[in-house]
Amino acid sequence: MHMHNPPHPGEFIAGLYLEPNNISGRELAQKLGVAASTLSRVLNGSSRVSPEMALRLSKALGRSPESWLAMQDAHDLWVARQQVDLDDVSRLELAPT
């Protein structure tokens, strides 16, 4: 079963952590030790959560780095499924091992 339109981690951060707690992106960026513009790109979905950012988010927000990367991968895979045409791809027949 495929998840329908999983959120980008930036959307998740804004909706679960920033907005309900009245915290600005600039304030979180300072806590993460990154430029506000760097975090802004993650929050608006134009940048991915990198392994380095996942470590920073984990320490600042309390989720595991793996969960941040898994969320990013789930979002990226969903987007790819919407855009990639697999009609010309066929299964490779391999000899039994």
Side-chain angles (χ1 to χ4, degrees):
M1 173 184 271
H2 302 298
M3 185 182 282
H4 179 70
N5 195 8
H8 184 279
E11 181 183 344
F12 182 81
I13 292 165
L16 192 67
Y17 296 101
L18 300 185
E19 293 163 8
N21 294 291
N22 203 26
I23 297 170
S24 71
R26 188 170 296 281
E27 185 178 345
L28 178 58
Q30 185 177 31
K31 296 291 186 188
L32 293 171
V34 300
S37 60
T38 299
L39 180 62
S40 177
R41 287 189 297 275
V42 171
L43 293 176
N44 70 31
S46 63
S47 285
R48 301 182 83 252
V49 169
S50 66
E52 177 185 333
M53 181 62 80
L55 290 168
R56 292 172 185 276
L57 290 168
S58 177
K59 184 166 183 182
L61 300 176
R63 298 173 63 94
S64 73
E66 293 84 1
S67 72
W68 291 112
L69 294 174
M71 187 181 303
Q72 183 67 61
D73 285 344
H75 173 76
D76 291 349
L77 184 56
W78 185 86
V79 169
R81 282 192 170 118
Q82 309 313 303
Q83 298 174 351
V84 176
D85 179 4
L86 298 174
D87 289 344
D88 291 338
V89 177
S90 59
R91 186 160 181 95
L92 178 63
E93 296 298 325
L94 301 172
T97 57

